Amino acid sequence: MVLKNEDGYELWLRYHLVDDAELLAVYRQQIREIVFPGDSPTLRVARGELQCGLEGLLGHEVMLSESVTEDGAIVCGTPESSAKILEQKLVDLDTVGDEGYVISQQVVDWHQTIIIAANSDKGVLYGVFAFLRLLQTQQSLDGLHIVSAPKVKLRMLNHWDNLDGTIERGFAGHSLWDWHKLPHYIDPRYTDYARACASIGLNATVLTNVNANALILTEPYLHKVAALADVLRPYGLQVYLTARFSAPMEIGGLSTADPLDADVAAWWKAKVDQIYSILPDFGGFVVKANSEGQPGPHDYGRIHADGANMLADALEPHGGICIWRAFVYDADVQEDRAKQANSQLVPQDGTFKANALLQVKNGPIDFQPREPYHPLFGAMPKTPLMLEVQITQEYLGNATHLVYLAPMFKETLDADTYVKGPGSTVAKVVDGSLDGHDISGMAAVTNIGDDRNWCGHPFAAANWYAYGRLTWDYTLSSEQIADEWLRMTFSNDEDFVDTIIQMMIDSRESVVKYMMPLGLHHIFAEGHHYGPGPWVDGIRPDWTAVYYHQADAEGVGFDRTASGTDAVSLYNPPYRDQLANVDTCPENLLLWFHHVSWDHVLKSGRTLWDEMCLMYQEGVNEVRQMQQTWETLEGKIDAARYMHVKKLLVVQEREARWWRDACLTYFQAFHGKPLPEGVEPAEHDLDYYENIVHYYVPGIPERRFDKIGTHS
Ligand code: GCV
């Protein structure tokens, strides 16, 4: 059978006819009517989703009924919206809080039914999506009893979308938000965006770039924001904006933005009041301050907490929150960048207002292919810390490399800070349980744009999906999430799913190998970060590559032990001791923490140089393996998506070779050692690689190029 071509627009919400005839017959028996009273906007969209999903999956319309009239009813609602749910007195509802749900087979009015119940309309919506997921992934409904609640309260996407429609570090087209046509024209795609987010439990979205434009806070733009919020609200998505710290000067006519200035505080209060008068359920602000040229409290000799608290004060009467980013480092400060956030923020622990949170990147530098967990986790027990990850592949091959990020997100969440003994994981810091915080959250920089398939690479949507699922339940395994996503996105063919799960799981480690093995970091091309640039030098040191790899004739790596910057001391024993010793430091972080001789012998018995070479080669080999694996699956999915992935894998293999050759040629020049057996020689000399220039790489604002070079 030839499968119909698909363009990926439906994401994982494809409600195609269940293709297992036996199972379909069983489902048709088990699902015969829907009892779903209630008329709130959220219940309406939940009911619509259920009807539409079932119609597609079962191949016929399932009728709405006022009461349970036969076996096979699906009864949905809250104890308020549905008399039947109230009658059932489901004890499990007491455990699922505001947003969780219960899906359970029950006898109602002497009939076999499936109940989808929650304490809130939003919970019902999440339950509906979870139920549809069961059918999409062809699970048995027999004996169904699912009790589920999110582990983290704020489950947020951060769009780095600019008001001119570009997206910082966006590789899938332009911004979804059509500010020019808003508020009068509402793109139907906003609804599909909201559906996708709600289906994986996301409940908050920051519409604008953290490198913020104050214009978004002006009245005309606020009306545009409100129109968008009207579409997102029924799906439980609360809208947040980024606040430019200097807005009082840029749009308020003040001469200062000093957070301790009474006029500045009054301006923000009035601005926040205005926002809430236009958008009563506004979530609050996300702020990047005194980082990479953004204005902030340091400009006035104040500290981060002064800035955050001023905004938190303005938001507090409306129930809003201020999320302050901990991605702070300063070009004029000599201290190791990996330590600067701790130096600045740890002394301020306990001084932030109750409605202020700190948003901390997964690692201390900047979303590198591999970083140790950020040492702020565990170091600020009095402040709720959100985890920020990056879904968009700024440092992972943009939208041309197939890299499944769940293993990377989980690596951080599962990392043990040991701050209160073994088991003090980053996840427990983030969900608030370790230090008893009520408020908790995760944020991710999205990879969503207006490309027809939303995220560019057909597999990139898996990372949006995986992130959402992990915010709901970070104990899910990467394999389980990949399994769900593949079944819903492509096919339930067991062979296809089993084969591709493994390929997805391995893909993160492959990209680390061909880009930055053994703890190397930040050796990207300058500015756009597309491709290798281990030679980058001559700009502010903490944006160069040479600052991070410190290669010389003797060795390579950043000494962050006591003999170097001592960043290792920010971690707690026993992990600290493990990291500090070159013999016990995990080899995948070796060059992050140590400057190591090229001849240093690793666990494999090979020297560092040989091991590095072989890892780069292995990365390339693994991409070739991915190509072969993918090609065995021709015909198991539609030809359009099959070919799209196949062609992108060709690009990925080419770029993996580019990484290997550019980096090894560069490092080899320090010591002249030969490549070990099994490593393919580079096609070109170092000069060639250093002179590769790419113009207009997506994801950065257009700028004039000042160098004409080899266009690879
Ligand atoms: C939005 C990195 C990126 C920047 C980004 C910054 C941040 O440095 O390269 O584009 O700016 O992180 O997270 O604020």
Side-chain angles (χ1 to χ4, degrees):
M1 186 182 59
V2 177
L3 296 162
K4 201 163 150 268
N5 277 338
E6 295 185 41
D7 60 16
Y9 182 86
E10 292 177 298
L11 291 164
W12 50 87
L13 297 176
R14 287 158 73 252
Y15 299 134
H16 294 196
L17 187 67
V18 172
D19 59 7
D20 174 330
E22 231 172 272
L23 188 62
L24 177 62
V26 175
Y27 283 164
R28 283 177 172 165
Q29 283 301 318
Q30 289 174 318
I31 303 170
R32 301 169 72 87
E33 64 184 7
I34 300 171
V35 181
F36 200 151
D39 201 31
S40 75
T42 298
L43 290 179
R44 276 203 298 272
V45 299
R47 187 163 50 231
E49 193 73 34
L50 184 62
Q51 286 182 282
C52 156
L54 291 179
E55 185 169 349
L57 288 156
L58 304 185
H60 64 77
E61 197 177 344
V62 180
M63 300 309 286
L64 287 172
S65 170
E66 305 243 315
S67 57
V68 177
T69 63
E70 57 178 332
D71 281 357
I74 310 291
V75 177
C76 304
T78 67
E80 286 77 47
S81 69
S82 160
K84 285 287 157 234
I85 299 286
L86 183 65
E87 265 174 31
Q88 289 303 300
K89 296 194 178 23
L90 297 165
V91 283
D92 289 325
L93 275 186
D94 298 341
T95 66
V96 298
D98 282 354
E99 295 183 293
Y101 55 82
V102 176
I103 305 178
S104 183
Q105 243 186 9
Q106 305 267 324
V107 174
V108 177
D109 295 344
W110 302 281
H111 293 296
Q112 274 297 335
T113 62
I114 293 171
I115 280 190
I116 304 176
N119 295 312
S120 69
D121 296 353
K122 208 182 352 170
V124 176
L125 177 66
Y126 294 143
V128 162
F129 278 115
F131 179 66
L132 290 171
R133 182 161 60 230
L134 294 173
L135 305 188
Q136 286 179 277
T137 54
Q138 304 194 349
Q139 308 296 304
S140 162
L141 302 181
D142 297 340
L144 203 57
H145 189 67
I146 298 173
V147 181
S148 185
K151 294 209 182 300
V152 165
K153 291 212 169 116
L154 274 169
R155 303 178 301 278
M156 184 173 254
L157 286 182
N158 285 194
H159 290 266
W160 284 357
D161 292 19
N162 299 316
L163 300 187
D164 65 359
T166 58
I167 306 176
E168 182 151 351
R169 310 308 179 183
F171 310 106
H174 277 75
S175 174
L176 286 184
W177 324 133
D178 191 343
W179 295 113
H180 181 66
K181 295 202 195 90
L182 281 163
H184 308 296
Y185 174 74
I186 304 294
D187 190 332
R189 198 162 180 170
Y190 303 151
T191 304
D192 288 329
Y193 164 81
R195 290 174 56 235
C197 288
S199 74
I200 48 178
L202 297 173
N203 65 1
T205 182
V206 189
L207 301 177
T208 47
N209 191 353
V210 288
N211 288 335
N213 185 336
L215 214 52
I216 193 69
L217 302 178
T218 59
E219 193 177 340
Y221 273 94
L222 291 174
H223 286 291
K224 294 169 191 276
V225 171
L228 200 42
D230 286 345
V231 182
L232 308 183
R233 186 175 300 110
Y235 292 90
L237 270 184
Q238 197 176 15
V239 163
Y240 289 69
L241 294 174
T242 48
R244 183 158 167 87
F245 202 74
S246 50
M249 297 159 79
E250 287 159 12
I251 57 168
L254 300 190
S255 58
T256 176
D258 182 348
L260 299 191
D261 181 289
D263 289 343
V264 171
W267 184 87
W268 278 110
K269 267 196 176 303
K271 178 50 69 186
V272 168
D273 291 347
Q274 182 194 28
I275 296 175
Y276 279 93
S277 72
I278 296 171
L279 181 52
D281 58 352
F282 177 58
F285 293 132
V286 175
V287 187
K288 172 177 178 180
N290 293 121
S291 168
E292 302 186 330
Q294 294 299 305
H298 290 184
D299 304 351
Y300 308 95
R302 314 299 184 196
I303 60 172
H304 288 293
D306 293 331
N309 289 341
M310 174 196 59
L311 294 173
D313 269 342
L315 291 157
E316 195 272 331
H318 304 281
I321 59 171
C322 174
I323 299 172
W324 199 262
R325 288 179 89 229
F327 179 65
V328 290
Y329 66 106
D330 192 333
D332 301 326
V333 173
Q334 293 306 307
E335 190 183 35
D336 178 0
R337 179 170 160 190
K339 293 173 72 178
Q340 289 190 34
N342 283 61
S343 302
Q344 290 187 36
L345 293 165
V346 170
Q348 295 171 39
D349 191 25
T351 66
F352 289 90
K353 299 264 176 193
N355 61 329
L357 294 96
L358 274 186
Q359 182 168 305
V360 183
K361 287 190 180 181
N362 59 298
I365 299 292
D366 190 11
F367 299 136
Q368 297 302 290
R370 167 160 283 117
E371 298 202 24
Y373 76 84
H374 200 305
L376 272 177
F377 292 112
M380 296 188 66
K382 297 187 188 125
T383 312
L385 302 186
M386 286 172 69
L387 169 64
E388 176 177 332
V389 295
Q390 194 178 43
I391 305 176
T392 191
Q393 290 169 232
E394 173 181 0
Y395 296 107
L396 289 156
N398 297 180
T400 41
H401 294 207
L402 190 165
V403 189
Y404 175 51
L405 298 178
M408 178 165 164
F409 301 156
K410 282 186 70 78
E411 189 168 291
T412 304
L413 287 160
D414 294 344
D416 201 337
T417 70
Y418 291 100
V419 64
K420 292 190 177 168
S424 309
T425 58
V426 170
K428 287 188 189 159
V429 175
V430 170
D431 74 10
S433 61
L434 196 71
D435 301 306
H437 296 296
D438 282 342
I439 186 164
S440 64
M442 280 171 66
V445 185
T446 72
N447 58 354
I448 302 164
D450 69 356
D451 272 11
R452 182 68 192 160
N453 73 0
W454 302 83
C455 304
H457 197 297
F459 273 75
N463 296 329
W464 177 9
Y465 183 83
Y467 165 73
R469 296 287 286 133
L470 288 172
T471 64
W472 188 275
D473 182 0
Y474 53 73
T475 68
L476 291 173
S477 73
S478 300
E479 287 80 357
Q480 183 178 341
I481 297 170
D483 180 278
E484 288 174 2
W485 179 79
L486 283 167
R487 289 174 188 278
M488 292 193 283
T489 304
F490 285 110
S491 163
N492 276 288
D493 181 293
E494 297 298 336
D495 198 27
F496 172 81
V497 173
D498 290 348
T499 311
I500 300 303
I501 288 182
Q502 200 49 50
M503 184 176 109
M504 288 172 73
I505 297 292
D506 295 342
S507 62
R508 187 287 178 113
E509 216 51 54
S510 303
V511 77
V512 171
K513 286 180 191 164
Y514 65 71
M515 285 188 182
M516 284 166 232
L518 296 162
L520 283 172
H521 51 290
H522 217 299
I523 56 172
F524 289 92
E526 194 228 322
H528 53 60
H529 300 152
Y530 177 63
W535 44 80
V536 171
D537 199 358
I539 45 175
R540 61 181 264 195
D542 54 356
W543 284 357
T544 67
V546 295
Y547 170 91
Y548 293 101
H549 63 64
Q550 312 249 330
D552 54 31
E554 267 68 57
V556 62
F558 198 129
D559 183 2
R560 293 194 165 101
T561 68
S563 56
T565 66
D566 203 25
V568 77
S569 66
L570 299 177
Y571 295 90
N572 300 304
Y575 190 50
R576 176 200 296 174
D577 308 323
Q578 198 193 344
L579 294 174
N581 182 336
V582 74
D583 295 322
T584 55
C585 182
E587 286 185 353
N588 61 16
L589 288 173
L590 187 64
L591 305 179
W592 187 287
F593 287 106
H594 297 270
H595 188 79
V596 181
S597 156
W598 294 110
D599 295 323
H600 177 79
V601 178
L602 298 180
K603 293 195 184 78
S604 62
R606 288 188 280 267
T607 64
L608 174 68
W609 169 245
D610 284 357
E611 185 86 346
M612 183 186 281
C613 294
L614 287 162
M615 284 215 159
Y616 272 107
Q617 181 65 47
E618 222 169 273
V620 173
N621 295 346
E622 286 173 12
V623 179
R624 290 176 181 155
Q625 185 56 53
M626 282 161 85
Q627 291 182 285
Q628 281 170 22
T629 305
W630 188 251
E631 281 167 25
T632 63
L633 297 165
E634 185 165 11
K636 298 224 185 245
I637 61 164
D638 60 289
R641 290 185 298 166
Y642 170 79
M643 282 311 289
H644 194 174
V645 174
K646 182 176 157 148
K647 287 178 183 170
L648 288 173
L649 283 170
V650 172
V651 177
Q652 187 168 352
E653 194 270 344
R654 184 172 179 273
E655 295 190 354
R657 276 189 284 121
W658 172 29
W659 269 96
R660 178 199 63 193
D661 295 345
C663 293
L664 292 183
T665 312
Y666 171 78
F667 288 126
Q668 193 176 32
F670 286 95
H671 51 66
K673 293 177 194 300
L675 297 178
E677 204 180 323
V679 179
E680 295 161 8
E683 275 176 57
H684 304 282
D685 62 10
L686 182 57
D687 202 46
Y688 171 89
Y689 295 111
E690 287 194 18
N691 278 295
I692 291 176
V693 176
H694 287 94
Y695 308 109
Y696 307 125
V697 175
I700 51 166
E702 183 178 313
R703 49 179 193 169
R704 290 195 27 229
F705 48 88
D706 50 13
K707 185 176 171 193
I708 302 287
T710 323
H711 196 285
S712 70

